[in-house]
Amino acid sequence: MKLSQGIRMAWHSVSTQKLRTLLTVLGIMIGVASVTIMVAIGNGTAEQVKSQMQGLGTNMLTANVVGRGAVTSITLADAEQLTDIDGMETYAPVISGSVTAKYGTSTYSASVQATTAAFADVREYSVAQGRFIKDIDGAFSQKVAVIGSEVAEELSIDNPVGQKIGLNGTSYKIVGVLASKGSSSAGSNDNVVIIPIQTARVALKTDAIRTIYVQVESSDKVDFVQTMLEFNLQKFFRNDENSYTVFNQADLLETITAVSTSMSTMLTYVAAISLLVGGIGIMNMMLTSVTERTKEIGIRKSLGAKQRDILFQFLVEAAMIGGLGGLVGVVVGASGSKFAGKLMDSPAAPSADIMILALIFSMGVGVLFGFLPARRASKLNPVDALRQ
């Protein structure tokens, strides 16, 4: 039997049982659509996390100070000494906190980063209006601030540069507005006010530094700088390793990506179970079809159809049902992934490779689960078949 003839016969058989075919195709469709959507969400989430992590800066180390005993923070002089390492390009000590920002009658709770001019390079912040804080601002303890786009919007500040803003009751002059960076897993990157670290005691009532961002000259020196930074911190806190932590951003990104990939794989396996359920549906339909078409099989065999022709006919029919379910499932999955991405406020990137693989797999499921009914049909005795 030619393939074209087998396809025509399979299509005739499938199209004459529209409702039964539709219900059988539905199981395969759900499985393929589920796999496509799960993989799309997993890929989109992984790319989003990677983009967010890269947006925090490149070749960066983050040292967080917990402290020991009465020493729970470091000073500017300590930070300079701790980061005096070959291969270190620049560093930015940070004092973090939150303030009530006020402009006119509007107030807004904002995150404050008291730091140095190097912070913009280390954390890859750029300015949309005005300028960033400068070292001279810190040297003269100038009460100047650079605000995020969200702060400017929430306080309804038109032409922010040059305006005065209140931070916990202290007046600061706005010298710049940051370009929008969007949100990350840590929250909004635009809800921020950056001030010179020397004025932290005025706005935040503290000058305790507990975070240092270190930018390394190149990726091949990150491990060395991290080792030396940990050594300096260990010596500073007298071998108390619980007093500090040093995070390598590349390692953190690798860990998050691995977790995201594992979750995506697990969800894909769960969704693939639907394909097996759909395969059982195909088997059930084909067994019923063989029973109903016993006389047809007997007539075809009596007219000279060979066992392999009958086997081929029913396998093509099963593959066609699986293929139809896979094709519809891919279309539904591609559309559903975009909808799911909007619903979850997360990008969903449908994978062409996965969609093609799912389509081929669905046809394979049809052939696999259709083999037993097809084999049963091919082995029917023509005389017994005609009697039925």
Side-chain angles (χ1 to χ4, degrees):
M1 180 186 291
K2 294 182 179 179
L3 178 61
S4 59
Q5 183 182 1
I7 292 175
R8 286 197 302 271
M9 295 180 67
W11 177 252
H12 175 73
S13 176
V14 167
S15 60
T16 55
Q17 299 288 341
K18 293 183 177 61
L19 181 59
R20 183 190 297 174
T21 301
L22 178 63
L23 294 175
T24 305
V25 165
L26 191 61
I28 295 293
M29 182 207 75
I30 292 173
V32 172
S34 299
V35 170
T36 303
I37 292 172
M38 292 299 179
V39 172
I41 292 174
N43 290 343
T45 302
E47 287 300 319
Q48 183 183 39
V49 170
K50 185 177 180 180
S51 176
Q52 290 173 353
M53 292 299 296
Q54 289 176 340
L56 296 177
T58 56
N59 300 333
M60 191 181 73
L61 300 172
T62 303
N64 293 317
V65 174
V66 180
R68 60 185 296 272
V71 183
T72 58
S73 62
I74 58 177
T75 64
L76 268 174
D78 295 332
E80 183 177 358
Q81 184 178 2
L82 290 169
T83 55
D84 185 15
I85 303 170
D86 291 336
M88 189 274 296
E89 183 175 340
T90 187
Y91 73 98
V94 176
I95 301 174
S96 301
S98 60
V99 297
T100 298
K102 185 176 181 180
Y103 177 77
T105 59
S106 301
T107 59
Y108 187 63
S109 180
S111 172
V112 169
Q113 304 282 335
T115 184
T116 62
F119 185 82
D121 294 328
V122 176
R123 297 298 301 272
E124 296 191 350
Y125 273 101
S126 58
V127 177
Q129 300 176 39
R131 65 173 178 84
F132 200 74
I133 60 172
K134 299 180 178 180
D135 289 330
I136 195 171
D137 295 325
F140 289 94
S141 298
Q142 295 293 310
K143 295 183 180 65
V144 295
V146 180
I147 64 174
S149 57
E150 182 178 321
V151 177
E153 182 181 351
E154 292 294 335
L155 293 178
S156 302
I157 309 176
D158 296 325
N159 301 318
V161 178
Q163 302 291 334
K164 296 282 187 175
I165 185 176
L167 301 179
N168 281 348
T170 302
S171 180
Y172 276 74
K173 181 182 178 181
I174 300 173
V175 295
V177 179
L178 297 170
S180 178
K181 290 189 70 174
S183 299
S184 66
S185 56
S188 174
N189 292 312
D190 299 325
N191 177 22
V192 62
V193 177
I194 298 175
I195 61 176
I197 197 168
Q198 289 83 353
T199 66
R201 179 171 288 278
V202 178
L204 298 174
K205 310 302 180 186
T206 181
D207 54 5
I209 299 172
R210 293 189 175 88
T211 302
I212 309 174
Y213 295 110
V214 176
Q215 189 172 39
V216 186
E217 291 178 353
S218 59
S219 57
D220 60 331
K221 295 182 179 180
V222 171
D223 291 339
F224 170 76
V225 174
Q226 181 177 1
T227 300
M228 293 305 299
L229 181 59
E230 290 174 342
F231 174 77
N232 291 344
L233 284 166
Q234 186 178 29
K235 185 168 63 173
F236 182 85
F237 288 105
R238 300 179 183 179
N239 297 322
D240 187 354
E241 296 182 357
N242 295 323
S243 298
Y244 61 88
T245 55
V246 178
F247 293 103
N248 183 333
Q249 185 168 294
D251 292 342
L252 185 59
L253 174 60
E254 184 178 338
T255 300
I256 293 175
T257 302
V259 172
S260 178
T261 302
S262 298
M263 288 296 295
S264 178
T265 303
M266 184 184 70
L267 291 173
T268 302
Y269 286 152
V270 172
I273 295 174
S274 298
L275 281 174
L276 298 180
V277 174
I280 295 172
I282 291 177
M283 179 182 287
N284 180 59
M285 177 182 173
M286 295 305 297
L287 285 171
T288 304
S289 181
V290 169
T291 303
E292 292 177 346
R293 296 159 62 187
T294 301
K295 193 169 185 178
E296 175 196 331
I297 296 169
I299 293 173
R300 291 196 61 210
K301 278 201 164 186
S302 65
L303 292 176
K306 297 180 181 179
Q307 181 174 323
R308 66 172 180 268
D309 294 329
I310 303 297
L311 179 65
F312 179 73
Q313 176 190 347
F314 280 88
L315 284 179
V316 170
E317 190 173 322
M320 181 174 290
I321 295 172
L324 285 172
L327 185 61
V328 177
V330 165
V331 174
V332 172
S335 302
S337 61
K338 295 180 180 179
F339 176 76
K342 291 181 180 179
L343 191 65
M344 300 172 63
D345 194 24
S346 174
S351 170
D353 293 339
I354 291 297
M355 289 190 289
I356 294 173
L357 184 62
L359 181 59
I360 295 173
F361 186 70
S362 64
M363 295 179 68
V365 167
V367 173
L368 178 65
F369 283 88
F371 179 78
L372 181 60
R375 187 170 180 273
R376 179 180 175 182
S378 66
K379 288 185 173 296
L380 283 176
N381 187 293
V383 177
D384 294 336
L386 287 170
R387 284 176 179 174
Q388 294 182 26

